[in-house]
Amino acid sequence: MTTTAFEPLTPDTLPARLGSITALTQRIGANASSWSVREVGDGNLNLVFIVQGSNGSVVVKQALPYVRLVGDSWPLPLKRSFFEYHALTRQAARSPGSVPEILHFDQAQALIVMEYLSPHIILRKALIMGRELPRIAEDLGLFTARTLFRGSDLHMSAATRKADLALFADNVDLCDITESLVFTDPYFEAPRNRHTSPQLDALVASLRADRDLKVEAQRMKHLFTANAETLLHGDLHTGSIMVTDEETKVIDPEFAFYGPIAFDIGMLLANYWMSYFSQGGHEQDGSRDSMRAYLLRTTTTTWSVFRCEFARLWRSERNGMLYARSLFEDAGDPLGAEQALDTFLHRVWEDLLGFAGVEIHRRILGLAHNAEFETIEDADLRAACETPALRFGRHIAVNRRHLHSIDEVNALVALIDRENRL
Ligand code: SR1
Ligand code: MG
């Protein structure tokens, strides 16, 4: 790379601009003029290229100085690429094998060269197709437990964690997107919002007039901004996960920052639940009942794997300043550590329901919608899927302290969905 001033890549300029990077040429072949380059980015923010050479392929992800979904009227700092790179290195260390291998990072050009995952596809697309992925629950339960535990004061030294907290505290603009788009905009008539209209108009108006819901959404926002508990992925929806039947990889942590443990898991479970509610819009080729059952099983297993792995790490790697062993195990009180663990996980459970509720709302009422609903072309059918999702989101956000188990919540999902379909 010869230029230092930022310049967006194009398929035509990429070979000449990246052709001398050894990490890249070693991986795919040195003859850059023979590389074939496709821009495949379909996310909301960045350019994504697949570069194929004689010996293999890589992915080049480059940030743009604005939000791709909206255009240059919404500027966004290139530095998000720096946070993504640093988050990926930490996730690779804390949950080995869970993220793509990073081959090269160029901060000035805001680009990351990484392993090309093939034949992986985006989890959201797989779920829309009705594919039952056998590994995601286990893999994502482990990923969330390991990254969230090992990035917290339960595990890290205070000095290392505080330095890292300072580094990621600068990811202000990406946090601002979440703070506005997830926690605030859905609950009033914000200019960037949209929803399936007129079918959802009455329900949307009632949600925006719902005082209990708005208060709860703001409690969740307060927690998100003020509880710098661990290094989050920050955008762990099913579009940030790539899958095959054998492997699960988590991508795109550009929203990484220090926030509450429950946020990543809440967002993930919300996306499984939204997939469930969308299944009725994808039954052209037959019933999706098996897929519905699979999705509920997936939420149950993800949450139980998370809990088990978190508990294992609590017992074996709790070397940080919180819940010090000197107070419990070393003082002959191992039960005290178990009591603290139960309390801790109970709080995570209550908070994840709140985060899940608002995540569901923002994907139906806000700017950035989900493909599982958006690909339902018939607006009446789409609204019929979105309606129970919105009601469920409201219920779990407002009643999160009274819902005691994942089975209870899944029973509610099935009930609300069935009532709407009859
Ligand atoms: C303007 S960005 C909209 C959404 O896309 C990202 O994936 C995040 O989820 C963000 O909220
Ligand atoms: Mg993304």
Side-chain angles (χ1 to χ4, degrees), residues 35 41 70 104 129 131 136 149 161 168 190 203 233 257 267 318 334 354 368 374 388 409 420 422:
W35 292 353
V70 174
H104 177 75
M129 286 168 358
R131 269 182 62 182
I136 57 168
F149 182 92
R161 203 189 82 92
F168 282 95
L203 177 56
H233 176 284
F257 86 112
M267 186 176 272
R318 205 177 76 254
E374 293 299 286
V409 174
N420 201 72
L422 289 176

Side-chain angles (χ1 to χ4, degrees), residues 13-14 22 36 81 171 184 189 200 217 235 318 341 347 417:
T13 62
L14 187 146
T22 316
S36 99
S81 173
N171 202 3
T184 303
E189 289 184 14
L200 294 183
D235 198 27
R318 205 177 76 254
L341 170 64
R347 197 229 341 126
D417 187 59

